Amino acid sequence: MKNEIEKIWDDVLVKLEQEHDVSSAAINAWIKPLHIKDVQSNKIILSLDAKYDERGIQFIKKKMYDFYISLAISDLTGKKYDIEVELEKDGEKPKQTPAATPEHDNNNLNPRYTFDTFVIGDNNRMAHAASIAVAEAPAEAYNPLFLYGGAGLGKTHLMHSIAHYIIEHNSSLNVLYVTSEDFTNEVINSIQHKKQEELRSKYRNIDVLLVDDIQFVIGKESTQQEFFHTFNALYNSKKQIILSSDKPPKELDVLEERLRSRFSWGLPVDIQPPNYETKVAILRKRAELDNIYIDDEIFDYIATHIKSNIRDLEGALNKIKVYSKLNKKPIDLELSKIALQDLIDNKTKQAITPELIMQTVAEHFNIQTSDIISKKRSHDIAYPRQICMYLCKKMTDQSLVKIGEIIGKRDHSTVIHGIEKIEKDLEKDPELSKVIEVITKKMD
Ligand SMILES: Nc1ncnc2c1ncn2[C@@H]1O[C@H](COP(=O)(O)OP(=O)(O)OP(=O)(O)O)[C@@H](O)[C@H]1O
């Protein structure tokens, strides 16, 4: 049993990062030093590297990493295990330590996040170009470079790419990548242990500072202060600063004005969600890097069904890989659909509401949503209204009474009549089936 868990350990780590938002830095620092000591019928015992002490275990529990590991394992194996973490005794370390991916080098950088593996699309072209400019000529092109955009769209990937590039091409420069969480913790520790001077001199000796998710310093008084001074010191000495955030500087509302304006000094540049073609290109690249062959129809299926972000796209691909491995079946479209069932069904169900149905039907028939809920009885309005009733019953969890209420306060016998009318027409009118199919697709 231990073997089986060891086999999927890499996938557990990927899941922690992709689905439970455990940062790659945290995986490196806290999950990699865990070894699978024993697997019992419903319990897995993990031991934490002897270099740590009890506080390490407390931290893992506090951050709920044990809970996320248990979730990831149950997701992958379909079986629920409790996770127990204990401290490894010196010399006890098992020989077979599970390999950990993603690996991180000494600089806390994911080796996979480089310019070579970054797919350029319309959504990120400018951000990519600016990143290259900064990597080639630190502190000369844009300072600070401020990358912003929604979650999982590639900001961290670009930041690591810049850092890798500079380390490789300009080895004399002192490059530091931190998340704002790391930075905050360093500030707190320095205050606690009265080592603020040490922290300041560390940060002021850096040539290229990259701080990921800077929005998290907002509201943390001392951290903001410290960052403000670090920023000024580096900027005035013509050192490169690269920041990422979920919003542009002007929308970081609660941030002190003096920091907000500094963030806009250089180049704020956004990353947007990818379009269909870019999504497919990213999936292809990912499969190529993982050395697996995946048919285009599967990429098409993922790209049309996963609408959120690139992390979720990769998560979907990963789910398919793991499902095929566990079930020892080749990857085809049918297997992919089964593997992604939960992911996709949930998302569709959540998104489709009676309001969305009314809006889509109205658009399709070139009428107003207000017509649908109105008292009008002409065929060009009443028929789309009945289609709405039919689709609400089919695609939402609403009761007939509720559907009637939403569609213009109609009683439930009117709703039943409407649904039956459409069901009957569907039996004899292939054109209507097509109309329903098109409307359903529009909501997908
Ligand atoms: N253009 C791209 N080409 C290839 N992979 C990409 C691209 N954009 C994002 N990815 C991949 O998507 C995943 C999520 O990206 P990343 O962690 O950089 O997002 P982020 O914008 O930093 O998100 P967050 O704000 O949540 O930290 C990563 O595995 C990354 O490699």
Side-chain angles (χ1 to χ4, degrees), residues 2-11 36 325 328:
K2 186 170 166 210
N3 254 349
E4 272 173 30
I5 302 296
E6 275 170 353
K7 260 193 240 152
I8 58 158
W9 190 248
D10 279 0
D11 299 314
I36 301 167
K325 195 154 100 186
K328 301 192 175 62

Side-chain angles (χ1 to χ4, degrees), residues 84-110:
E84 205 172 285
V85 185
E86 59 181 44
L87 206 58
E88 199 163 84
K89 294 184 195 77
D90 252 340
E92 187 190 63
K93 187 157 157 183
K95 285 218 164 48
Q96 236 192 345
T97 308
T101 45
E103 281 170 19
H104 283 72
D105 53 22
N106 296 336
N107 299 299
N108 224 354
L109 299 172
N110 186 330

Side-chain angles (χ1 to χ4, degrees), residues 17-18 21 24 110 112-114 117-121 123-124 149-159 177 212-213 215-216 244-246 271 274 278 281-283 285-286 289 309-312 314:
E17 188 177 0
Q18 294 186 335
D21 272 349
S24 41
N110 186 330
R112 194 169 64 74
Y113 293 175
T114 63
T117 58
F118 191 83
V119 174
I120 306 162
N123 61 317
N124 58 30
L153 293 180
K155 301 182 294 295
T156 303
H157 191 136
L158 274 181
M159 291 185 107
Y177 165 87
D212 211 347
D213 287 326
Q215 75 272 13
F216 291 126
S244 85
S245 161
D246 61 344
I271 305 188
T278 310
I282 290 172
L283 287 166
K285 179 94 187 180
R286 191 62 214 262
L289 290 170
N309 62 40
I310 300 168
R311 186 172 295 127
D312 289 351
E314 291 187 339

